[in-house]
Amino acid sequence: MKLARWTAGLLAGLSMLAMAAQAYAGEVRVTVAEYSSKTGPYFEEVKKEFEAANPGTTLKFEVVPWDVLLQKLTTDITAGTNADLSIIGTRWLIDFVQQGVAEPLDEYMTPDFKGRFIETFLSPSIMEGKTYGLPIAASARAMYYNKELFEKAGIANPPSTWTELQEDARKIKAAGAFGYGIQGKEIETDVYYYYAMWSFGTEILNKDGSSGLSTPGALEAAKLYKSMIDEGLTQPGVTSMNREDVMALFKQGKVGMMITAPFMMNQIKEEAPSLKYGVAAIPAGPTGARGTYGVTDSIIMFKNSKNKEEAWKLLDFLFSTEQRAKFTQNEGLLPVNKEEAKMDYYTKDAGLAAFTALLPEARFAPVIPGWEEIAQITSDAVQKIYLGQGEPEATLKDAAAKANGVLKK
């Protein structure tokens, strides 16, 4: 009797395991970062097209806001419940590689497939000769300026230096608007500070690998932003505004200048079609140095995926020229596909051409362990400076020491 019950229980358990395995057989689960309101609908169309072309394979997309994506992935990985594929910030990739959770993709890639990519965007995902991710999104940053406010303030051309930007901001303020919009909270608060820091000749990391926050250029950049805030040349409440808040002010015609990504052009077309604006290079510093922020997001395959062949088929589909164009143009990003980059949509658009021209000067977030912690240290420091809660030099030296502590781990 006991043996019979044990055997029945074992069979029931095996049956449940078989059913669970069958439930995942042919199902590819993907965690997707939310870029805009268009992200979900795009992947719904992908599901329809891919499943129709691949009977027996089902796709399950989960769209997650960027500000909680890393925490969700960390939780899912720890619990072993992560998807087969996920979009990530490329700057997170080294941590996933070191944890041993990212699958190398080279055995799946043919020379033709690899040849689809613009090398600048693929290379950040290659570590120790292995390709761990594919660039699903790429962007850079440039300066937007309101042409009507410039005309009202008597400004003929966008500023080419930070000194000119300050002068123009004063004129715009006198004309009744905010001169220069500064982001002061949440994702990329540190980056908004780097735009000025790079222009003053400082890199995020010194040549010896230590933090650049205690260098003269870093101090000059902080003093520049702080002086503009104190003079009322920015919007009020800088540290209460994230990137989207400042973009909203620009689209409302309340800010003369701000730095952000190409996707705001799409937003202006839809939300503020009568706004007259231009796109220009980020201002240069005293020696002519300047820099923009190059961004790539990658899609990775997890090592514990049970459906790697089907997952790779989906990646091959997503990185066709047709699908790349749909996604990139929907989201207002830059092309990562060589053939896509040749399309008139990019080559004949003055705004996109301005962003593309900045790519040779682009800096990417360092691919180092602990980068997110270092970025947060920088954001915390500049917020403290903007609020007047710490002297720039002492605050930056303290932040550099904290960053160096992370770098030495």
Side-chain angles (χ1 to χ4, degrees):
M1 289 286 289
K2 287 183 179 179
L3 179 61
R5 284 199 297 269
W6 181 85
T7 303
L10 176 62
L11 290 173
L14 290 172
S15 176
M16 289 176 68
L17 286 171
M19 289 173 65
Q22 189 175 14
Y24 283 108
E27 180 184 72
V28 178
R29 296 182 300 133
V30 189
T31 302
V32 171
E34 185 176 39
Y35 291 88
S36 73
S37 61
K38 296 180 179 180
T39 305
Y42 166 76
F43 282 102
E44 286 172 11
E45 287 301 312
V46 166
K47 177 179 170 67
K48 289 177 186 175
E49 289 184 41
F50 186 83
E51 289 181 354
N54 296 273
T57 300
T58 58
L59 302 182
K60 184 177 180 180
F61 293 104
E62 183 179 7
V63 181
V64 181
W66 268 109
D67 59 351
V68 297
L69 178 59
L70 182 57
Q71 181 58 54
K72 175 184 169 47
L73 291 175
T74 303
T75 301
D76 288 353
I77 290 167
T78 302
T81 57
N82 54 277
D84 300 284
L85 302 170
S86 180
I87 292 177
I88 66 166
T90 304
R91 59 195 181 278
W92 307 339
L93 183 57
I94 190 168
D95 291 323
F96 290 149
V97 171
Q98 290 187 339
Q99 291 165 21
V101 298
E103 173 81 0
L105 300 174
D106 303 274
E107 68 176 86
Y108 303 97
M109 298 169 68
T110 64
D112 175 68
F113 180 87
K114 195 169 184 178
R116 298 177 194 177
F117 297 95
I118 296 170
E119 180 60 27
T120 302
F121 296 129
L122 180 62
S123 58
S125 296
I126 300 174
M127 298 177 192
E128 297 182 356
K130 294 181 179 180
T131 308
Y132 287 97
L134 302 174
I136 193 76
S139 186
R141 305 292 183 258
M143 189 180 74
Y144 288 74
Y145 62 98
N146 184 311
K147 290 184 175 181
E148 288 186 347
L149 288 179
F150 267 48
E151 185 178 350
K152 187 177 178 181
I155 304 167
N157 299 300
S160 59
T161 67
W162 286 102
T163 300
E164 290 178 6
L165 184 143
Q166 281 182 289
E167 293 169 356
D168 291 346
R170 291 186 184 104
K171 293 175 183 177
I172 293 168
K173 179 187 177 184
F178 306 130
Y180 176 60
I182 295 180
Q183 174 189 334
K185 75 170 185 177
E186 297 178 9
I187 188 170
E188 291 194 16
T189 294
D190 61 318
V191 176
Y192 220 95
Y193 163 68
Y194 301 148
Y195 301 136
M197 189 182 82
W198 287 324
S199 302
F200 283 96
T202 288
E203 299 297 330
I204 295 171
L205 298 179
N206 297 319
K207 289 182 180 178
D208 63 2
S210 62
S211 170
L213 288 175
S214 61
T215 63
L219 178 59
E220 289 304 310
K223 288 163 67 175
L224 168 71
Y225 273 14
K226 176 60 173 165
S227 68
M228 293 183 71
I229 292 168
D230 291 346
E231 198 178 335
L233 304 182
T234 69
Q235 83 279 11
V238 164
T239 57
S240 68
M241 292 200 166
N242 62 20
R243 178 175 65 188
E244 285 67 30
D245 295 328
V246 183
M247 288 166 59
L249 288 177
F250 186 87
K251 288 179 282 188
Q252 293 163 12
K254 296 178 179 179
V255 170
M257 299 169 281
M258 77 165 295
I259 298 171
T260 193
F263 50 69
M264 189 163 79
M265 290 189 289
N266 273 8
Q267 295 179 13
I268 290 172
K269 285 178 188 175
E270 295 177 4
E271 300 170 31
S274 61
L275 184 70
K276 295 178 181 177
Y277 72 98
V279 180
I282 293 169
T287 64
R290 75 169 92 235
T292 186
Y293 185 52
V295 182
T296 64
D297 301 324
S298 299
I299 187 164
I300 66 170
M301 183 189 297
F302 287 104
K303 269 190 177 178
N304 64 354
S305 168
K306 300 294 190 294
N307 295 294
K308 291 178 182 175
E309 293 299 328
E310 292 92 338
W312 177 255
K313 271 190 178 182
L314 174 59
L315 290 177
D316 189 42
F317 177 80
L318 289 175
F319 285 97
S320 65
T321 301
E322 179 185 358
Q323 290 300 322
R324 287 282 74 215
K326 284 181 184 178
F327 178 79
T328 306
Q329 292 171 24
N330 250 355
E331 302 291 1
L333 298 166
L334 297 178
V336 301
N337 177 295
K338 290 176 183 175
E339 291 303 313
E340 181 193 358
K342 297 174 185 176
M343 294 178 175
D344 288 351
Y345 180 89
Y346 304 100
T347 60
K348 295 186 177 180
D349 184 291
L352 284 171
F355 279 96
T356 304
L358 288 170
L359 288 176
E361 301 169 340
R363 270 85 157 177
F364 292 85
V367 183
I368 55 174
W371 168 245
E372 289 299 316
E373 187 177 352
I374 292 170
Q376 189 59 53
I377 288 168
T378 306
S379 294
D380 291 345
V382 296
Q383 284 178 326
K384 191 174 180 181
I385 292 168
Y386 297 163
L387 289 166
Q389 295 175 351
E391 289 299 317
E393 186 170 10
T395 303
L396 289 174
K397 282 185 177 179
D398 180 60
K402 290 177 181 175
N404 286 331
V406 176
L407 289 165
K408 290 175 183 175
K409 287 180 182 178

